[in-house]
Amino acid sequence: MSILVVGSVAYDTVETPFGRAERVLGGSATFFAIAASFFAPVNLVGVVGDDFGDEQMEVLRKHGVDLQGLERSAGKTFHWQGKYSFDLNARDTIRTDLNVFEFFKPKIPAAYRRCEHVFLGNIDPVLQRDVLEQVEKPKLVVCDTMNFWISGKPEELRKTLARVDVLLINDAEARQLSGEWNIVKAARAIRALGPRALLIKKGEHGVLMFSDEGSFAAPAYPLEDVFDPTGAGDSFAGGFVGYLAGAGELNEAALRRAAVMGSTLASFCVEAFSVDRLQRLTRAEIDERFRLFKRLTHFEAI
Ligand code: AMP
């Protein structure tokens, strides 16, 4: 069962307390696609400029990502620059050069329209809805968004959320979107807007999932070395949607396993700059860490 992802393909410049990476491969669709490719075929819709290298295209191709939907426009590729302090949960955006992304209008190739699993990366909610107009009855629509759209286009975002099955956001965004400080109340208010399930990401403190069956918590994997958190959220989404597409199930047990698979892929992503760790990853390593997650969270009843 193949997956459709729409989002940014970027050059990132990232500074962490441990080093700096200049114009390396990034973007929400990139991290998502590589993470999801371990579980199911991925079709990518996005845009790059004429400066986007063959080497970067090859990274995506090597993972079997279908690039028919990756437009190449005259101009420069989207560029994002961010800086992390010792608190790797917080980052400052130093600059965002939209470049060719400014005029991006997703066009879904005919061959992608019947994808049953759709991931709407963090883009304008109007464009996210445009994508939904072009696909045929997906089984699962998962969406990401950010503070920029929550404050900038609240009404458009609400219309999009009404058509979304699962929303992935961080805790600050959940509070901003709902106007509730308490996360449980925030989750109830957000689920009333449409999403059947809500996953609230809390960086190194893991993720909370709220669904019809109540709540579920998955920790972040306790790593000794966290190098660069960029892309963790999108890798989480890739593991989450990828697992569900591969398993072909959407029940509560599958959603819980998917949340842990998301945490598994995110834990690898942060071990190196850009997609360096995801690129070298094997399915055996993923399965082994997933197993360690089971051990990490297991305890006997009294
Ligand atoms: P995250 O998973 O939240 O760490 O996402 C990081 C990725 O988001 C980076 O690789 C950036 O290229 C990309 N990004 C940052 N700002 C934006 C934006 N405004 N729109 C789309 N993508 C962005």
Side-chain angles (χ1 to χ4, degrees):
M1 272 189 264
S2 52
I3 301 169
L4 168 65
V5 52
V6 183
S8 57
V9 176
Y11 279 128
D12 288 347
T13 297
V14 180
E15 221 178 299
T16 77
F18 318 109
R20 182 183 161 91
E22 194 91 34
R23 294 182 64 77
V24 288
L25 180 59
S28 60
T30 305
F31 285 105
F32 176 92
I34 297 176
S37 71
F38 291 97
F39 308 93
V42 182
N43 301 307
L44 187 152
V45 171
V47 64
V48 290
D50 40 29
D51 58 345
F52 195 71
D54 280 345
E55 199 187 311
Q56 281 76 30
M57 294 285 271
E58 203 41 45
V59 171
L60 291 161
R61 270 200 210 103
K62 215 177 65 193
H63 282 84
V65 179
D66 190 305
L67 298 176
Q68 207 189 121
L70 182 62
E71 268 176 65
R72 196 180 273 272
S73 293
K76 283 188 165 174
T77 300
F78 174 73
H79 172 244
W80 173 80
Q81 183 170 352
K83 185 176 176 175
Y84 297 83
S85 59
F86 272 101
D87 174 6
L88 290 171
N89 283 327
R91 76 174 168 216
D92 292 322
T93 289
I94 309 290
R95 60 189 289 176
T96 302
D97 304 314
L98 289 175
N99 299 331
V100 292
F101 204 50
E102 187 172 355
F103 306 105
F104 176 52
K105 273 284 223 179
K107 286 187 263 325
I108 313 300
Y112 293 5
R113 292 196 186 138
R114 299 177 79 171
C115 282
E116 293 187 333
H117 296 77
V118 176
F119 178 64
L120 304 170
N122 166 29
I123 55 174
D124 186 330
V126 177
L127 298 184
Q128 290 178 322
R129 243 175 16 254
D130 250 22
V131 171
L132 296 180
E133 295 298 332
Q134 296 176 60
V135 294
E136 290 173 27
K137 288 206 201 101
K139 270 194 188 150
L140 181 76
V141 177
V142 179
C143 174
D144 185 10
T145 192
M146 69 185 290
N147 50 5
F148 183 76
W149 303 118
I150 296 171
S151 56
K153 294 203 174 178
E155 281 316 309
E156 296 297 346
L157 181 60
R158 275 170 185 259
K159 284 191 216 160
T160 299
L161 290 180
R163 300 178 58 179
V164 158
D165 300 304
V166 179
L167 177 66
L168 308 176
I169 47 178
N170 68 34
D171 42 356
E173 290 159 352
R175 291 188 171 109
Q176 189 186 1
L177 176 58
S178 62
E180 293 280 1
W181 185 88
N182 178 280
I183 283 293
V184 180
K185 287 183 179 148
R188 187 180 306 123
I190 293 169
R191 289 184 64 232
L193 299 174
R196 187 161 65 86
L198 170 69
L199 283 99
I200 300 183
K201 299 172 286 181
K202 300 188 296 158
E204 68 174 327
H205 305 299
V207 64
L208 270 174
M209 178 168 75
F210 296 88
S211 66
D212 293 338
E213 311 265 333
S215 46
F216 173 70
Y221 191 74
L223 291 168
E224 201 156 322
D225 293 303
V226 175
F227 201 76
D228 172 17
T230 309
D234 302 304
S235 304
F236 177 92
F240 181 84
V241 179
Y243 174 77
L244 292 172
E249 290 177 325
L250 288 173
N251 52 38
E252 175 71 14
L255 286 175
R256 288 182 176 210
R257 282 195 294 268
V260 175
M261 198 53 96
S263 304
T264 302
L265 270 294
S267 75
F268 284 114
C269 171
V270 303
E271 286 181 343
F273 274 131
S274 179
V275 295
D276 291 359
R277 183 65 180 101
L278 293 182
Q279 258 200 87
R280 293 184 273 113
L281 197 56
T282 64
R283 182 62 203 253
E285 287 176 308
I286 294 173
D287 293 343
E288 172 60 9
R289 191 163 289 178
F290 185 88
R291 199 183 61 78
L292 293 176
F293 259 102
K294 179 91 178 73
R295 253 183 55 186
L296 176 68
T297 52
H298 180 82
F299 57 90
E300 302 291 338
I302 292 174

